[in-house]
Amino acid sequence: MTATLIWILVALLAIGVYLSWTAGRLDRLHVRMDAARAALDAQLLRRASVAQELATSGVLDPAASIVLYEAAHAARQSEEEQREVAESELSQALRAVFGEPQQVEAVREAPGGEAAAHELAEAVRRVPMARRFHNDTVGAARRLREHRKVRWFRLAGHAPFPMAFEMDDEPPAALVERAA
């Protein structure tokens, strides 16, 4: 009788330790996901800020400046529900403005244009990496949250279900080729 009780207590203790370890792992994933989202937000803000600064610098022709400024402004001011669409539109505007190598060269030849083009190229290159890192972390958290043990024992607590950030983040080829 005593041996059976001890074995039951050991089994319950092992299950408790395992569930605690799983909850800790899930919590660490949520922390990583929050950090990845903050990094993605910072990269998106940097890209929009640099694009907006370039649009107002007078280096671009007026039509390109208006298109780029409006897309960057919309991306910076968008609500969370519309953020993916606004950021995709900024990517499309960047590709439209910097689709031709001649436009990139014109920007580089202007005073201060070399630094501005390089900063924009860096910002544009970092967005896909930050988004991929965020979405990988979201995928890992989703896979763990889909396990039965996590659902049955409610190990995720009240944390919202992780959502990936889907957007068009293809950089303008002429801008990235020149910076590489």
Side-chain angles (χ1 to χ4, degrees):
M1 174 74 174
T2 311
T4 305
L5 188 59
I6 290 174
W7 281 111
I8 290 173
L9 287 175
V10 167
L12 288 175
L13 182 65
I15 291 170
V17 167
Y18 178 70
L19 290 175
S20 175
W21 176 79
T22 303
R25 181 173 161 221
L26 186 59
D27 184 53
R28 286 189 302 275
L29 275 173
H30 280 122
V31 168
R32 269 184 40 207
M33 190 173 49
D34 289 343
R37 180 58 189 243
L40 175 61
D41 286 343
Q43 291 304 323
L44 291 171
L45 181 63
R46 179 173 181 238
R47 180 181 77 154
S49 297
V50 170
Q52 207 169 21
E53 184 178 313
L54 189 61
T56 59
S57 69
V59 173
L60 300 172
D61 62 89
S65 292
I66 290 171
V67 167
L68 193 57
Y69 180 83
E70 287 180 355
H73 181 71
R76 289 183 72 178
Q77 300 299 320
S78 64
E79 297 293 325
E80 191 61 34
E81 302 84 36
Q82 298 298 318
R83 184 103 189 260
E84 294 172 352
V85 173
E87 293 294 346
S88 293
E89 288 173 355
L90 176 56
S91 295
Q92 292 166 1
L94 285 166
R95 282 196 308 272
V97 171
F98 295 106
E100 299 295 323
Q102 295 85 1
Q103 182 70 23
V104 176
E105 288 305 318
V107 168
R108 289 184 187 283
E109 290 170 1
E114 183 71 34
H118 179 71
E119 189 175 356
L120 182 62
E122 286 298 312
V124 164
R125 263 199 346 236
R126 288 180 181 170
V127 167
M129 290 185 290
R131 188 179 71 84
R132 197 170 312 120
F133 184 72
H134 173 265
N135 288 350
D136 288 348
T137 306
V138 166
R142 280 182 166 183
R143 284 188 296 279
L144 185 58
R145 285 182 70 153
E146 289 171 355
H147 287 231
R148 271 186 242 134
K149 65 181 175 254
V150 174
R151 288 192 320 252
W152 288 350
F153 292 103
R154 300 175 190 252
L155 298 180
H158 296 290
F161 194 73
M163 299 302 289
F165 194 87
E166 297 301 331
M167 65 172 270
D168 174 10
D169 60 4
E170 183 180 337
L175 187 65
V176 175
E177 284 175 3
R178 179 77 164 89

